[in-house]
Amino acid sequence: MSTFSTRTAEAHTAYTSTGRPMTSEDADAASRGPVPAGAARHFGPESTPSPGDRASQLPNKPIGVISCEDVDIFYSRFRAVTGVSLDFGRNEITALIGPSGCGKSTVLRALNRMNDLIPGARVTGRITYHGQDIYGSDVDPIEVRRRIGMVFQKPNPFPKSIYANIAYGPKVVGMKVDSMDDIVEEALTRAALWDEVKDKLKESAYGLSGGQQQRLCIARTIAVNPEVILMDEPCSALDPIATSRIEDLMDELRQEYTIIIVTHNMQQAARVADRTAFFTAKASEETGDRTGELVEYDVTAKMFGNPSDSRTEAYISGRFG
Amino acid sequence: MASIGAVATAPLRARKAGENSPASIGFLVTLWVAVAVAMICLLTLLVTAFVDGYPRLDGALFTRYSSRVIPETAGARAAILGSMWVIGTTALLAIPLGIAAGVYLEEFADEQRWYNRLIEVNLQNLAAVPAIVYGMLTAGFALAIGLERRVVLAGAIALSLLILPVIIITTREALRAVPAEIRQGSLALGATPLQTVWRQTLPSALPGVATGTILALSRALGEAAPLLLLGGLVFVSYDPNGLMSGFTTLPIQIFSWTGQPQEEFQELASAAIIVLLGLLLLMNALAIIIRNRYQRHW
Ligand SMILES: Nc1ncnc2c1ncn2[C@@H]1O[C@H](COP(=O)(O)OP(=O)(O)O)[C@@H](O)[C@H]1O
Ligand SMILES: [Mg+2]
């Protein structure tokens, strides 16, 4: 039933080496790629190693799927974020943490050009996806958002049936689909929601609980076959049980997707993230603007165990007591 | 310096006489009188129309043409058909245009641009322009393009202009009520802005749009002034059969009958009023049903 492609490393290399602008054919070529033998294994229990195991397997430097180089982000004249440089590693979960208002959401939205929708928002510096500048003049933001999906703070299912919520993405992006039923089933299965909703696919998504709605939104994102999933405080509207289900889910999704998550919950970052980036905001002397900047970016265990920057230390110990 | 004192532990004070003071009572009475006056006027109107018109609420009213001389057997057939033609054409003209304009202004227009702001301000004003002005506008327009003024198309243009601002404004309000999260969710999946409007925002806003549109059409249905100004015919003894056909409508017919000296014409007018009120009631009821059944509360 694997209508989904598993994007393989080979597919990516092939794609980058061509250096062509992103087109849907590229994605389709990738989606037709061979399904690795181990695809089924992703749902097995052994696929959720504890962060401790994973830390030892992490490359020293992240293999950058998305890279920021000296990125500044403005809202009209206001400089919200400055000087951000970091690589988001393939098949890793990266957490963005920091006090509220330091620009975490701003950075996240810049990564898939959702900032374009805010009048006056502007990005300088370079944000690249497989080496290609996503703000390049020849890049279609629609295509960027398809490859780099997003899950929002408040679950936002469409006012339609569960089935229609999933089918919407593949339809609008014009994916070649043999069987929409299979896509829906697989997306829901990957989002660990299938068993709960398989008997009520035609019912309104609004009848689901908050946690289920959020997993539906994740499934909906998965259905268009993105490579990266951005999550902006995806659990902040959920209870602890729903939160823990989403965290388990993220752990499974890491096998196939690159995940970047903003969270205000440091325990969550410590639990799920491979690497963590700590942001803070500093008031500028000239303008008085509170501008966010990246303080420290490292493997999560190091960030929480032995941070190199005193500001990180202060922030983490302030919350962890 | 004053500071916040100790926690208040004194017994709760007795209720003040406020509600029963002469000023309060006077105010309440004024409110009641205002309501009563409005209700009495409305009831008188309805009751007299009903009493006068009921005997003439017969088959002839619907099947026969008007007559200049024999009111006893005259009917409103041409007016009823004319109203349907004009309102139908108005709907075809005004609904797509109004919704499209509303979608553009709400979803695509850049509010920073001076021309969009100009449209914005003017829309509010246009909605308040007296109906007769639209009749004059249409008359001028018809003259300019060489269109006969007394035909269905001209009447429909006048009424479309009249209700366009209302449709645009209600469309915008209905779109604005759709949460931004829905649009973001769609765009984040790689949908284009146009797909997002077409498949998410507009369908979600549709109940609100439909309600506003039906109310606007019911206003057009009851309107006589702009059509009279176009030289709307008061005496038609044939079925309108196309956009270029002469026509009369229920309000015009009623207006013309009430101007006649004979008592029988007054009865006929009352009967036509009952028909018109019935139609308006039906449309408003439909609007309310749509609103209650399909309107989403986000
Ligand atoms: N749409 C916007 N328009 C203008 N300023 C904004 C907008 N969104 C966020 N900001 C500002 O940018 C700064 C960073 O905000 P945000 O990225 O939301 O922070 P965080 O997610 O870390 O809490 C804040 O000062 C905020 O007021
Ligand atoms: Mg935020």
Side-chain angles (χ1 to χ4, degrees):
Chain A
M1 81 161 200
S2 235
T3 36
F4 273 68
S5 63
T6 305
R7 288 159 323 291
T8 59
E10 294 77 44
H12 287 158
T13 328
Y15 155 72
T16 2
S17 61
T18 61
R20 279 183 291 121
M22 288 176 240
T23 65
S24 47
E25 285 84 64
D26 288 327
D28 288 338
S31 14
R32 282 190 297 271
V35 178
R41 184 194 41 158
H42 297 322
F43 298 102
E46 74 275 32
S47 68
T48 53
S50 69
D53 300 342
R54 276 192 56 84
S56 56
Q57 299 162 12
L58 281 180
N60 290 337
K61 255 179 64 70
I63 305 163
V65 173
I66 300 181
S67 300
C68 298
E69 295 164 37
D70 198 20
V71 169
D72 281 29
I73 307 170
F74 298 82
Y75 292 110
S76 303
R77 319 287 311 268
F78 169 60
R79 188 197 300 261
V81 177
T82 190
V84 174
S85 296
L86 80 172
D87 291 340
F88 295 100
R90 173 185 304 157
N91 292 50
E92 290 180 10
I93 299 180
T94 308
L96 310 183
I97 62 168
S100 103
C102 67
K104 306 178 296 289
S105 301
T106 299
V107 168
L108 199 72
R109 282 197 301 263
L111 300 181
N112 72 341
R113 296 194 61 169
M114 285 299 281
N115 267 351
D116 292 16
L117 308 173
I118 300 170
R122 197 154 51 82
V123 174
T124 65
R126 262 167 69 87
I127 300 179
T128 56
Y129 171 69
H130 291 294
Q132 188 178 1
D133 186 347
I134 63 167
Y135 286 89
S137 54
D138 56 341
V139 171
D140 182 1
I142 304 296
E143 188 55 29
V144 173
R145 292 184 203 131
R146 187 203 156 165
R147 304 287 190 85
I148 306 173
M150 188 161 205
V151 175
F152 299 83
Q153 186 162 354
K154 205 171 126 239
N156 61 344
F158 301 128
K160 296 172 184 290
S161 71
I162 293 167
Y163 188 99
N165 261 276
I166 308 284
Y168 177 73
K171 266 187 214 151
V172 293
V173 303
M175 258 167 63
K176 295 185 193 79
V177 168
D178 292 332
S179 158
M180 190 58 88
D181 291 356
D182 287 352
I183 298 250
V184 170
E185 178 172 350
E186 178 137 14
L188 286 169
T189 305
R190 286 196 188 198
L193 190 58
W194 174 250
D195 289 334
E196 290 159 64
V197 303
K198 62 172 182 262
D199 298 323
K200 46 180 182 180
L201 292 176
K202 297 290 169 199
E203 287 173 28
S204 168
Y206 280 28
L208 299 176
S209 72
Q212 289 174 323
Q213 288 188 6
Q214 195 62 300
R215 275 179 282 145
L216 179 67
C217 292
I218 293 173
R220 177 174 87 181
T221 304
I222 290 173
V224 292
N225 221 358
E227 182 179 4
V228 183
I229 303 176
L230 310 176
M231 300 186 177
D232 193 349
E233 305 199 12
C235 303
S236 64
L238 307 181
D239 63 57
I241 293 171
T243 298
S244 114
R245 297 213 58 171
I246 303 255
E247 287 179 7
D248 291 347
L249 173 59
M250 289 193 321
D251 211 62
E252 281 170 22
L253 293 175
R254 154 166 52 201
Q255 307 282 338
E256 301 215 22
Y257 305 92
T258 297
I259 298 176
I260 304 169
I261 176 179
V262 167
T263 175
H264 62 246
N265 177 335
M266 279 188 293
Q267 287 93 328
Q268 181 168 63
R271 280 192 300 263
V272 301
D274 296 309
R275 291 178 212 271
T276 299
F278 172 60
F279 289 77
T280 190
K282 193 178 67 184
S284 135
E285 280 117 37
E286 309 146 44
T287 60
D289 286 353
R290 278 174 49 79
T291 297
E293 59 181 18
L294 175 63
V295 174
E296 188 173 354
Y297 175 46
D298 212 325
V299 174
T300 299
K302 169 97 180 357
M303 287 289 282
F304 285 96
N306 180 22
S308 7
D309 195 295
S310 59
R311 287 171 291 175
T312 315
E313 167 115 59
Y315 183 71
I316 286 166
S317 55
R319 295 290 176 88
F320 271 178
Chain B
M1 233 185 82
S3 63
I4 296 176
V7 174
T9 51
L12 298 172
R13 232 170 293 157
R15 175 211 287 266
K16 286 204 191 115
E19 301 260 303
N20 298 322
S21 71
S24 305
I25 292 173
F27 182 62
L28 264 179
V29 168
T30 317
L31 292 184
W32 275 106
V33 169
V35 173
V37 168
M39 291 308 292
I40 289 169
C41 288
L42 192 65
L43 272 177
T44 317
L45 218 68
L46 285 174
V47 169
T48 46
F50 232 86
V51 170
D52 291 353
Y54 189 73
R56 277 307 324 269
L57 212 53
D58 49 20
L61 182 69
F62 296 93
T63 54
R64 298 188 64 100
Y65 298 108
S66 180
S67 159
R68 282 184 223 272
V69 284
I70 338 170
E72 291 81 0
T73 56
R77 175 190 173 116
I80 293 171
L81 287 172
S83 275
M84 285 160 101
W85 267 97
V86 175
I87 294 303
T89 314
T90 302
L92 287 180
L93 288 176
I95 294 175
L97 262 179
I99 293 180
V103 166
Y104 167 75
L105 288 172
E106 194 58 35
E107 303 289 324
F108 296 102
D110 178 356
E111 273 173 43
Q112 311 296 326
R113 306 266 170 207
W114 64 268
Y115 46 84
N116 287 326
R117 284 215 300 270
L118 191 73
I119 294 173
E120 183 89 50
V121 171
N122 275 302
L123 260 180
Q124 302 293 337
N125 290 335
L126 282 176
V129 166
I132 198 156
V133 174
Y134 290 105
M136 292 164 68
L137 180 64
T138 309
F141 177 68
L143 190 68
I145 64 165
L147 176 72
E148 167 66 49
R149 282 190 294 144
R150 302 175 165 210
V151 298
V152 169
L153 184 60
I157 290 175
L159 294 181
S160 297
L161 290 174
L162 173 71
I163 63 173
L164 256 179
V166 180
I167 296 183
I168 296 172
I169 290 168
T170 44
T171 300
R172 296 189 61 182
E173 276 164 8
L175 289 171
R176 212 170 301 152
V178 178
E181 287 83 18
I182 300 291
R183 298 176 181 80
Q184 286 172 3
S186 170
L187 293 165
L189 287 172
T192 62
L194 205 61
Q195 284 171 326
T196 301
V197 166
W198 203 240
R199 291 166 174 252
Q200 297 291 354
T201 326
L202 197 52
S204 299
L206 216 51
V209 174
T211 307
T213 303
I214 293 170
L215 292 180
L217 284 175
S218 81
R219 172 168 177 211
L221 179 65
E223 201 60 69
L227 302 180
L228 282 170
L229 198 126
L230 284 174
L233 303 171
V234 293
F235 182 79
V236 174
S237 56
Y238 52 86
D239 291 346
N241 59 1
L243 294 182
M244 292 304 160
S245 164
F247 70 99
T248 186
T249 66
L250 274 170
I252 299 178
Q253 189 74 78
I254 292 165
F255 173 77
S256 111
W257 281 338
T258 49
Q260 303 289 324
Q262 295 98 318
E263 183 66 26
E264 290 83 356
F265 275 119
Q266 307 302 325
E267 286 171 14
L268 202 51
S270 294
I273 287 173
I274 296 173
V275 173
L276 184 58
L277 281 177
L279 282 175
L280 292 176
L281 208 66
L282 224 77
M283 291 176 78
N284 288 354
L286 186 64
I288 291 170
I289 289 170
I290 292 179
R291 193 189 59 202
N292 290 353
R293 290 227 8 217
Y294 300 103
Q295 191 98 305
R296 204 174 283 284
H297 297 285
W298 303 97

